[in-house]
Protein backbone atom coordinates (compact mmCIF):
# COMPACT_ATOMS: atom_id res chain seq x y z
CA UNK A 1 0.00 0.00 0.00
CA UNK A 2 1.35 3.40 -0.96
CA UNK A 3 0.10 5.51 1.91
CA UNK A 4 1.88 5.42 5.25
CA UNK A 5 -1.21 6.63 7.09
CA UNK A 6 -3.80 4.74 9.10
CA UNK A 7 -6.49 6.42 7.02
CA UNK A 8 -6.37 9.04 4.30
CA UNK A 9 -8.38 10.86 1.66
CA UNK A 10 -7.34 10.69 -1.96
CA UNK A 11 -8.08 13.89 -3.84
CA UNK A 12 -8.28 13.23 -7.55
CA UNK A 13 -6.72 16.31 -9.17
CA UNK A 14 -7.84 15.33 -12.68
CA UNK A 15 -11.46 14.98 -11.57
CA UNK A 16 -11.31 18.37 -9.86
CA UNK A 17 -9.82 19.97 -12.98
CA UNK A 18 -12.47 18.31 -15.13
CA UNK A 19 -15.31 19.64 -12.95
CA UNK A 20 -13.84 23.14 -12.99
CA UNK A 21 -13.58 23.02 -16.79
CA UNK A 22 -17.23 22.01 -16.98
CA UNK A 23 -18.27 25.10 -15.02
CA UNK A 24 -15.85 27.32 -16.95
CA UNK A 25 -17.36 26.21 -20.23
CA UNK A 26 -20.86 27.10 -19.02
CA UNK A 27 -19.77 30.46 -17.62
CA UNK A 28 -17.63 31.48 -20.59
CA UNK A 29 -14.29 33.25 -20.45
CA UNK A 30 -15.47 36.69 -19.51
CA UNK A 31 -17.05 35.67 -16.20
CA UNK A 32 -15.14 34.99 -12.99
CA UNK A 33 -15.31 31.67 -11.23
CA UNK A 34 -15.04 31.77 -7.45
CA UNK A 35 -14.20 28.36 -5.99
CA UNK A 36 -15.84 27.81 -2.63
CA UNK A 37 -13.16 26.28 -0.43
CA UNK A 38 -14.87 27.05 2.86
CA UNK A 39 -15.29 24.31 5.48
CA UNK A 40 -11.92 22.84 4.53
CA UNK A 41 -13.03 22.73 0.89
CA UNK A 42 -16.18 20.84 1.88
CA UNK A 43 -13.91 18.43 3.74
CA UNK A 44 -11.65 17.81 0.75
CA UNK A 45 -8.70 19.82 2.13
CA UNK A 46 -8.59 23.57 1.62
CA UNK A 47 -4.88 23.85 0.91
CA UNK A 48 -4.80 21.01 -1.59
CA UNK A 49 -7.98 22.01 -3.41
CA UNK A 50 -7.06 25.71 -3.60
CA UNK A 51 -3.76 24.97 -5.29
CA UNK A 52 -5.30 22.71 -7.91
CA UNK A 53 -8.22 25.10 -8.46
CA UNK A 54 -5.94 28.07 -9.06
CA UNK A 55 -3.83 26.08 -11.50
CA UNK A 56 -7.05 25.23 -13.34
CA UNK A 57 -7.81 28.89 -13.87
CA UNK A 58 -10.17 29.63 -10.99
CA UNK A 59 -10.08 33.41 -10.36
CA UNK A 60 -11.26 33.82 -6.78
CA UNK A 61 -11.45 31.67 -3.66
CA UNK A 62 -14.35 31.80 -1.21
CA UNK A 63 -14.03 31.07 2.51
CA UNK A 64 -16.34 31.32 5.49
CA UNK A 65 -14.05 32.78 8.13
CA UNK A 66 -11.14 35.13 8.53
CA UNK A 67 -9.12 32.21 9.92
CA UNK A 68 -9.62 30.22 6.71
CA UNK A 69 -8.67 33.29 4.67
CA UNK A 70 -5.45 33.76 6.63
CA UNK A 71 -4.48 30.10 6.20
CA UNK A 72 -4.64 30.67 2.44
CA UNK A 73 -2.68 33.92 2.60
CA UNK A 74 -0.04 32.26 4.80
CA UNK A 75 0.20 29.54 2.18
CA UNK A 76 1.28 32.29 -0.22
CA UNK A 77 -1.98 32.49 -2.15
CA UNK A 78 -2.31 35.97 -3.68
CA UNK A 79 -5.60 35.75 -5.58
CA UNK A 80 -8.73 37.60 -4.46
CA UNK A 81 -10.26 35.82 -1.46
CA UNK A 82 -13.84 36.58 -0.49
CA UNK A 83 -14.99 35.83 3.03
CA UNK A 84 -18.70 34.99 2.78
CA UNK A 85 -19.21 34.44 6.50
CA UNK A 86 -19.28 36.80 9.47
CA UNK A 87 -16.07 38.50 10.53
CA UNK A 88 -16.18 39.65 14.18
CA UNK A 89 -15.50 43.37 14.56
CA UNK A 90 -12.17 42.76 16.31
CA UNK A 91 -10.93 40.66 13.35
CA UNK A 92 -11.80 43.15 10.60
CA UNK A 93 -8.34 44.65 10.84
CA UNK A 94 -6.78 41.27 9.94
CA UNK A 95 -9.07 41.08 6.94
CA UNK A 96 -8.22 44.55 5.65
CA UNK A 97 -4.48 44.15 6.20
CA UNK A 98 -4.50 40.86 4.29
CA UNK A 99 -6.65 42.20 1.46
CA UNK A 100 -9.50 39.82 2.20
CA UNK A 101 -12.71 40.83 0.46
CA UNK A 102 -15.58 41.02 2.92
CA UNK A 103 -19.28 40.30 2.77
CA UNK A 104 -21.00 43.16 4.59
CA UNK A 105 -24.52 43.80 5.86
CA UNK A 106 -24.06 45.46 9.28
CA UNK A 107 -23.68 49.16 10.03
CA UNK A 108 -21.35 48.23 12.91
CA UNK A 109 -18.95 46.47 10.55
CA UNK A 110 -18.93 49.52 8.24
CA UNK A 111 -18.15 51.88 11.15
CA UNK A 112 -15.30 49.68 12.31
CA UNK A 113 -13.92 49.25 8.79
CA UNK A 114 -14.07 53.00 8.16
CA UNK A 115 -12.07 53.61 11.29
CA UNK A 116 -9.46 50.95 10.36
CA UNK A 117 -9.05 52.28 6.82
CA UNK A 118 -8.75 55.88 8.04
CA UNK A 119 -6.17 55.13 10.70
CA UNK A 120 -4.06 52.87 8.48
CA UNK A 121 -4.64 54.72 5.23
CA UNK A 122 -5.64 51.54 3.39
CA UNK A 123 -8.62 50.33 1.43
CA UNK A 124 -11.21 47.64 2.21
CA UNK A 125 -13.07 45.87 -0.59
CA UNK A 126 -16.67 45.21 0.30
CA UNK A 127 -19.33 42.93 -1.15
CA UNK A 128 -22.77 44.03 0.00
CA UNK A 129 -25.04 41.08 0.70
CA UNK A 130 -28.67 41.75 -0.10
CA UNK A 131 -31.70 39.93 1.28
CA UNK A 132 -33.67 38.25 -1.50
CA UNK A 133 -35.51 35.63 0.55
CA UNK A 134 -33.02 33.30 2.21
CA UNK A 135 -33.14 35.26 5.47
CA UNK A 136 -29.61 34.34 6.41
CA UNK A 137 -27.26 37.28 5.86
CA UNK A 138 -28.18 40.42 3.95
CA UNK A 139 -29.81 43.84 4.04
CA UNK A 140 -33.40 44.64 3.14
CA UNK A 141 -34.41 46.80 0.18
CA UNK A 142 -35.35 49.77 2.36
CA UNK A 143 -31.92 49.67 4.02
CA UNK A 144 -29.83 49.62 0.89
CA UNK A 145 -29.64 53.35 0.08
CA UNK A 146 -28.68 54.47 3.62
CA UNK A 147 -26.20 51.57 3.79
CA UNK A 148 -24.54 52.58 0.53
CA UNK A 149 -24.47 56.23 1.52
CA UNK A 150 -22.80 55.29 4.78
CA UNK A 151 -20.12 53.34 2.89
CA UNK A 152 -19.57 56.11 0.33
CA UNK A 153 -18.84 58.62 3.06
CA UNK A 154 -15.54 56.86 3.69
CA UNK A 155 -12.73 57.12 1.19
CA UNK A 156 -11.13 53.83 2.18
CA UNK A 157 -14.26 51.74 1.63
CA UNK A 158 -14.70 50.35 -1.88
CA UNK A 159 -17.95 48.75 -3.02
CA UNK A 160 -16.53 45.92 -5.08
CA UNK A 161 -19.53 43.61 -5.24
CA UNK A 162 -23.16 42.93 -4.53
CA UNK A 163 -24.21 39.37 -3.73
CA UNK A 164 -27.09 37.20 -2.65
CA UNK A 165 -27.71 33.48 -2.16
CA UNK A 166 -30.50 31.15 -3.33
CA UNK A 167 -32.65 29.43 -0.72
CA UNK A 168 -34.58 26.96 -2.80
CA UNK A 169 -32.78 25.97 -5.94
CA UNK A 170 -31.57 22.52 -4.89
CA UNK A 171 -34.55 21.05 -3.08
CA UNK A 172 -37.15 21.27 -5.80
CA UNK A 173 -37.84 21.07 -9.51
CA UNK A 174 -40.18 24.05 -9.12
CA UNK A 175 -37.87 27.01 -9.58
CA UNK A 176 -40.41 29.78 -8.99
CA UNK A 177 -38.91 30.76 -5.60
CA UNK A 178 -35.45 30.99 -7.15
CA UNK A 179 -36.82 33.09 -10.02
CA UNK A 180 -38.43 35.40 -7.50
CA UNK A 181 -35.10 35.75 -5.66
CA UNK A 182 -33.36 36.50 -8.93
CA UNK A 183 -35.89 39.27 -9.68
CA UNK A 184 -35.38 40.73 -6.24
CA UNK A 185 -31.60 40.66 -6.77
CA UNK A 186 -31.95 42.45 -10.11
CA UNK A 187 -34.10 45.05 -8.41
CA UNK A 188 -31.40 45.64 -5.77
CA UNK A 189 -28.84 46.13 -8.55
CA UNK A 190 -31.11 48.69 -10.23
CA UNK A 191 -31.56 50.60 -6.96
CA UNK A 192 -27.83 50.59 -6.28
CA UNK A 193 -26.82 51.61 -9.79
CA UNK A 194 -29.41 54.39 -9.77
CA UNK A 195 -27.41 55.87 -6.90
CA UNK A 196 -24.51 56.22 -9.33
CA UNK A 197 -22.59 53.27 -7.91
CA UNK A 198 -20.80 51.07 -10.45
CA UNK A 199 -20.73 47.53 -9.08
CA UNK A 200 -17.74 45.61 -10.49
CA UNK A 201 -18.95 42.16 -9.34
CA UNK A 202 -22.53 40.97 -9.11
CA UNK A 203 -22.83 37.40 -7.94
CA UNK A 204 -25.58 35.08 -6.87
CA UNK A 205 -25.06 31.76 -8.67
CA UNK A 206 -24.05 28.59 -6.82
CA UNK A 207 -23.46 25.21 -8.55
CA UNK A 208 -27.16 24.49 -9.12
CA UNK A 209 -27.77 27.96 -10.55
CA UNK A 210 -24.85 27.67 -12.97
CA UNK A 211 -26.00 24.24 -14.11
CA UNK A 212 -29.61 25.30 -14.62
CA UNK A 213 -29.93 29.06 -15.14
CA UNK A 214 -27.62 31.18 -17.34
CA UNK A 215 -29.63 34.26 -16.35
CA UNK A 216 -28.13 33.99 -12.83
CA UNK A 217 -24.51 34.29 -14.00
CA UNK A 218 -24.00 38.10 -13.97
CA UNK A 219 -20.20 38.35 -14.00
CA UNK A 220 -19.17 35.93 -11.28
CA UNK A 221 -20.37 32.60 -9.86
CA UNK A 222 -19.54 30.92 -6.56
CA UNK A 223 -19.14 27.18 -7.11
CA UNK A 224 -18.91 24.63 -4.34
CA UNK A 225 -20.41 21.16 -4.43
CA UNK A 226 -20.27 20.67 -8.19
CA UNK A 227 -16.55 21.39 -8.26
CA UNK A 228 -16.13 18.42 -5.91
CA UNK A 229 -17.93 16.24 -8.47
CA UNK A 230 -21.15 15.94 -6.49
CA UNK A 231 -24.60 16.98 -7.66
CA UNK A 232 -26.29 19.63 -5.51
CA UNK A 233 -29.32 17.30 -5.32
CA UNK A 234 -31.26 14.69 -7.31
CA UNK A 235 -33.69 17.44 -8.31
CA UNK A 236 -30.90 19.46 -9.91
CA UNK A 237 -29.66 16.37 -11.72
CA UNK A 238 -33.13 15.60 -13.07
CA UNK A 239 -33.72 19.23 -14.06
CA UNK A 240 -30.37 19.29 -15.85
CA UNK A 241 -31.39 16.32 -18.00
CA UNK A 242 -34.27 18.38 -19.37
CA UNK A 243 -31.94 21.11 -20.57
CA UNK A 244 -30.90 21.30 -24.19
CA UNK A 245 -27.21 21.81 -23.51
CA UNK A 246 -24.92 18.79 -23.80
CA UNK A 247 -24.95 16.66 -20.75
CA UNK A 248 -22.96 17.96 -17.86
CA UNK A 249 -20.73 15.29 -16.31
CA UNK A 250 -19.33 15.58 -12.81
CA UNK A 251 -16.57 13.36 -11.47
CA UNK A 252 -16.31 12.74 -7.71
CA UNK A 253 -13.02 14.06 -6.37
CA UNK A 254 -12.74 12.34 -3.02
CA UNK A 255 -12.04 8.77 -1.95
CA UNK A 256 -11.65 7.76 1.69
CA UNK A 257 -9.33 4.87 2.47
CA UNK A 258 -7.97 2.98 5.40
CA UNK A 259 -6.55 -0.45 6.14
CA UNK A 260 -7.58 -3.53 8.12
CA UNK A 261 -6.41 -3.42 11.75
CA UNK A 262 -7.36 -6.96 12.78
CA UNK A 263 -9.03 -10.05 11.33
CA UNK A 264 -11.01 -12.22 13.74
CA UNK A 265 -13.33 -15.19 13.80
CA UNK A 266 -16.61 -14.83 15.67
CA UNK A 267 -18.81 -17.85 16.36
CA UNK A 268 -22.50 -17.97 15.47
CA UNK A 269 -24.86 -16.16 17.91
CA UNK A 270 -22.28 -13.73 19.30
CA UNK A 271 -22.91 -9.98 19.62
CA UNK A 272 -20.77 -7.40 17.91
CA UNK A 273 -19.95 -3.93 19.21
CA UNK A 274 -21.51 -1.54 21.72
CA UNK A 275 -25.11 -2.13 22.69
CA UNK A 276 -25.09 -5.67 21.24
CA UNK A 277 -27.07 -4.41 18.25
CA UNK A 278 -25.87 -7.16 15.90
CA UNK A 279 -25.91 -10.91 16.55
CA UNK A 280 -24.05 -13.18 14.18
CA UNK A 281 -26.22 -15.63 12.28
CA UNK A 282 -23.32 -17.84 11.24
CA UNK A 283 -19.68 -18.39 12.04
CA UNK A 284 -18.35 -15.06 10.93
CA UNK A 285 -15.09 -13.50 9.91
CA UNK A 286 -14.74 -9.84 10.88
CA UNK A 287 -12.35 -7.10 9.85
CA UNK A 288 -11.74 -4.49 12.50
CA UNK A 289 -11.29 -1.13 10.76
CA UNK A 290 -9.65 1.87 12.45
CA UNK A 291 -12.21 4.55 11.57
CA UNK A 292 -15.11 5.85 13.64
CA UNK A 293 -17.49 8.71 14.22
CA UNK A 294 -14.63 10.90 15.46
CA UNK A 295 -13.41 10.84 11.87
CA UNK A 296 -16.79 11.74 10.42
CA UNK A 297 -17.94 8.17 9.76
CA UNK A 298 -21.40 8.74 11.18
CA UNK A 299 -22.80 6.57 13.95
CA UNK A 300 -25.94 6.52 11.83
CA UNK A 301 -24.13 4.06 9.56
CA UNK A 302 -24.21 1.39 12.30
CA UNK A 303 -25.48 -1.89 10.81
CA UNK A 304 -26.30 0.05 7.63
CA UNK A 305 -23.35 0.72 5.32
CA UNK A 306 -20.64 -1.37 3.76
CA UNK A 307 -16.98 -0.91 2.98
CA UNK A 308 -15.06 -2.33 0.04
CA UNK A 309 -12.27 -4.84 0.59
CA UNK A 310 -10.66 -6.57 -2.41
CA UNK A 311 -13.42 -4.93 -4.48
CA UNK A 312 -16.15 -6.75 -2.52
CA UNK A 313 -18.77 -5.39 -0.16
CA UNK A 314 -18.18 -5.98 3.54
CA UNK A 315 -21.27 -4.93 5.55
CA UNK A 316 -20.71 -2.89 8.70
CA UNK A 317 -21.82 -4.96 11.70
CA UNK A 318 -22.77 -3.45 15.04
CA UNK A 319 -22.43 0.15 16.10
CA UNK A 320 -19.95 2.58 14.66
CA UNK A 321 -17.67 3.43 17.61
CA UNK A 322 -15.57 6.54 18.14
CA UNK A 323 -12.52 5.08 16.44
CA UNK A 324 -13.53 1.69 15.03
CA UNK A 325 -16.00 -0.13 12.88
CA UNK A 326 -16.30 -3.85 12.25
CA UNK A 327 -17.13 -5.28 8.84
CA UNK A 328 -18.25 -8.78 7.85
CA UNK A 329 -15.64 -10.38 5.58
CA UNK A 330 -16.93 -13.96 5.83
CA UNK A 331 -17.55 -14.00 2.09
CA UNK A 332 -14.29 -12.32 1.12
CA UNK A 333 -11.48 -14.87 1.15
CA UNK A 334 -8.03 -14.35 2.65
CA UNK A 335 -8.33 -10.82 4.02
CA UNK A 336 -5.27 -9.88 6.03
CA UNK A 337 -4.17 -7.17 8.42
CA UNK A 338 -3.18 -4.01 6.47
CA UNK A 339 -5.30 -4.88 3.44
CA UNK A 340 -6.74 -1.69 1.91
CA UNK A 341 -10.31 -0.68 2.75
CA UNK A 342 -12.37 1.82 0.77
CA UNK A 343 -14.91 3.69 2.88
CA UNK A 344 -15.94 6.06 0.07
CA UNK A 345 -14.92 5.62 -3.55
CA UNK A 346 -14.46 2.97 -6.21
CA UNK A 347 -12.68 -0.34 -5.94
CA UNK A 348 -12.47 -2.93 -8.71
CA UNK A 349 -15.73 -2.04 -10.41
CA UNK A 350 -17.82 -1.50 -7.27
CA UNK A 351 -18.24 1.67 -5.27
CA UNK A 352 -19.69 3.34 -2.22
CA UNK A 353 -20.53 6.96 -2.88
CA UNK A 354 -20.89 10.09 -0.78
CA UNK A 355 -24.52 10.21 -1.90
CA UNK A 356 -25.17 6.65 -0.72
CA UNK A 357 -23.67 7.51 2.64
CA UNK A 358 -25.76 10.69 2.85
CA UNK A 359 -29.00 8.90 2.08
CA UNK A 360 -28.30 6.17 4.65
CA UNK A 361 -28.00 8.75 7.41
CA UNK A 362 -30.71 11.07 6.16
CA UNK A 363 -28.54 14.01 5.19
CA UNK A 364 -27.02 15.67 2.13
CA UNK A 365 -23.69 15.01 0.43
CA UNK A 366 -22.45 18.45 1.58
CA UNK A 367 -22.67 17.38 5.22
CA UNK A 368 -21.00 14.02 4.68
CA UNK A 369 -17.83 15.44 3.17
CA UNK A 370 -17.72 18.59 5.31
CA UNK A 371 -17.72 16.44 8.44
CA UNK A 372 -14.69 14.34 7.54
CA UNK A 373 -12.14 15.14 10.21
CA UNK A 374 -9.71 17.82 9.00
CA UNK A 375 -6.74 16.05 10.63
CA UNK A 376 -6.94 13.09 8.24
CA UNK A 377 -4.26 13.35 5.54
CA UNK A 378 -5.42 14.51 2.13
CA UNK A 379 -3.28 13.01 -0.61
CA UNK A 380 -3.48 14.47 -4.10
CA UNK A 381 -3.44 11.72 -6.70
C1 LIG B 1 -22.74 32.09 0.15
C2 LIG B 1 -22.52 30.84 -0.62
N1 LIG B 1 -22.25 30.93 -1.92
C3 LIG B 1 -22.03 29.83 -2.66
C4 LIG B 1 -22.08 28.57 -2.11
C5 LIG B 1 -21.81 27.38 -3.00
O1 LIG B 1 -22.93 26.58 -3.13
P1 LIG B 1 -22.83 25.15 -3.84
O2 LIG B 1 -21.94 24.34 -2.99
O3 LIG B 1 -24.23 24.65 -3.84
O4 LIG B 1 -22.26 25.39 -5.17
C6 LIG B 1 -22.36 28.43 -0.76
C7 LIG B 1 -22.45 27.11 -0.15
O5 LIG B 1 -23.06 26.81 0.81
C8 LIG B 1 -22.59 29.60 0.02
O6 LIG B 1 -22.86 29.53 1.31
Amino acid sequence: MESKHTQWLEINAKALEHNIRQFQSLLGEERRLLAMVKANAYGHGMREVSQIALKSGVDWLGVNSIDEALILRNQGIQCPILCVGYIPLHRLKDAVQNKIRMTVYNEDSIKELAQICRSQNIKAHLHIKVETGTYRQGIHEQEVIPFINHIRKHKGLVIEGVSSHFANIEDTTDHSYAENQLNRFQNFIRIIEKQGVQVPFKHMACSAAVILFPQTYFNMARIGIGMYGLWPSNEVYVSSLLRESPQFVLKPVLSWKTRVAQVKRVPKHEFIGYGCTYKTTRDTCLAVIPVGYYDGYSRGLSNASYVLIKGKRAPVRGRVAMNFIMADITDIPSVQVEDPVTLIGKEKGDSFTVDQMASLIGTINYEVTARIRPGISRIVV
Side-chain angles (χ1 to χ4, degrees), residues 36 38 42 84 129 136-137 164-165 170 204-208 222-226 232 366:
M36 268 296 174
K38 66 175 186 166
Y42 292 33
V84 298
K129 186 118 188 202
R136 205 164 70 173
Q137 299 155 292
S164 197
H165 191 49
E170 290 95 7
M204 187 171 193
C206 54
S207 301
R222 309 183 304 263
I223 309 300
I225 198 81
Y366 295 73

Side-chain angles (χ1 to χ4, degrees), residues 132-135 167-168 174-182 184:
T132 57
T134 302
Y135 294 101
N168 196 28
D174 171 2
H175 297 113
S176 50
Y177 196 85
E179 280 160 21
N180 183 270
Q181 282 195 275
L182 177 62
R184 288 167 80 175

Side-chain angles (χ1 to χ4, degrees), residues 35-50:
M36 268 296 174
V37 295
K38 66 175 186 166
N40 198 26
Y42 292 33
H44 290 64
M46 187 174 67
R47 289 186 174 86
E48 294 80 359
V49 166
S50 299

Side-chain angles (χ1 to χ4, degrees), residues 353-365 368:
T353 65
V354 172
D355 287 293
Q356 274 174 284
M357 192 177 270
S359 89
L360 283 174
I361 56 176
T363 188
I364 51 174
N365 48 20
V368 165

Side-chain angles (χ1 to χ4, degrees), residues 29-255:
E29 274 181 14
E30 70 282 10
R31 297 192 185 88
R32 305 293 159 92
L33 197 160
L34 179 151
M36 268 296 174
V37 295
K38 66 175 186 166
N40 198 26
Y42 292 33
H44 290 64
M46 187 174 67
R47 289 186 174 86
E48 294 80 359
V49 166
S50 299
Q51 256 161 12
I52 303 166
L54 290 171
K55 271 196 210 130
S56 308
V58 152
D59 309 285
W60 288 50
L61 295 175
V63 296
N64 177 60
S65 68
I66 180 64
D67 294 315
E68 290 173 336
L70 296 187
I71 290 172
L72 294 175
R73 283 283 182 257
N74 291 336
Q75 196 184 328
I77 286 177
Q78 305 284 334
C79 76
I81 298 174
L82 174 66
C83 182
V84 298
Y86 178 66
I87 305 180
L89 301 179
H90 71 280
R91 300 296 307 281
L92 286 170
K93 200 165 161 188
D94 285 341
V96 179
Q97 285 174 340
N98 287 281
K99 295 191 165 53
I100 306 304
R101 273 71 178 175
M102 285 159 276
T103 303
V104 291
Y105 40 83
N106 280 333
E107 292 284 354
D108 287 345
S109 306
I110 302 302
K111 270 188 224 146
E112 184 67 20
L113 284 165
Q115 203 277 326
I116 293 164
C117 291
R118 207 171 26 248
S119 67
Q120 309 218 346
N121 196 23
I122 43 179
K123 289 202 183 313
H125 292 83
L126 312 182
H127 290 237
I128 300 171
K129 186 118 188 202
V130 296
E131 184 53 79
T132 57
T134 302
Y135 294 101
R136 205 164 70 173
Q137 299 155 292
I139 55 168
H140 287 292
E141 241 167 66
Q142 64 273 22
E143 295 166 330
V144 72
I145 294 177
F147 195 70
I148 280 178
N149 288 340
H150 184 184
I151 295 173
R152 289 165 94 191
K153 270 202 252 149
H154 303 283
K155 222 170 61 215
L157 304 185
V158 180
I159 299 175
E160 187 182 44
V162 174
S163 71
S164 197
H165 191 49
F166 286 107
N168 196 28
I169 199 160
E170 290 95 7
D171 297 289
T172 175
T173 51
D174 171 2
H175 297 113
S176 50
Y177 196 85
E179 280 160 21
N180 183 270
Q181 282 195 275
L182 177 62
N183 289 338
R184 288 167 80 175
F185 186 64
Q186 283 163 332
N187 195 41
F188 269 106
I189 302 284
R190 272 193 292 275
I191 297 172
I192 293 168
E193 289 185 338
K194 237 179 162 176
Q195 298 301 304
V197 177
Q198 288 305 313
V199 183
F201 295 103
K202 301 159 195 167
H203 47 106
M204 187 171 193
C206 54
S207 301
V210 174
I211 295 167
L212 299 177
F213 300 114
Q215 62 272 38
T216 63
Y217 294 177
F218 299 93
N219 54 358
M220 180 149 88
R222 309 183 304 263
I223 309 300
I225 198 81
M227 182 174 75
Y228 303 107
L230 303 171
W231 281 86
S233 65
N234 289 337
E235 288 83 348
V236 173
Y237 178 67
V238 169
S239 304
S240 83
L241 296 179
L242 302 174
R243 286 173 50 84
E244 284 163 24
S245 55
Q247 222 205 304
F248 191 76
V249 177
L250 293 174
K251 298 186 177 172
V253 169
L254 170 152
S255 307

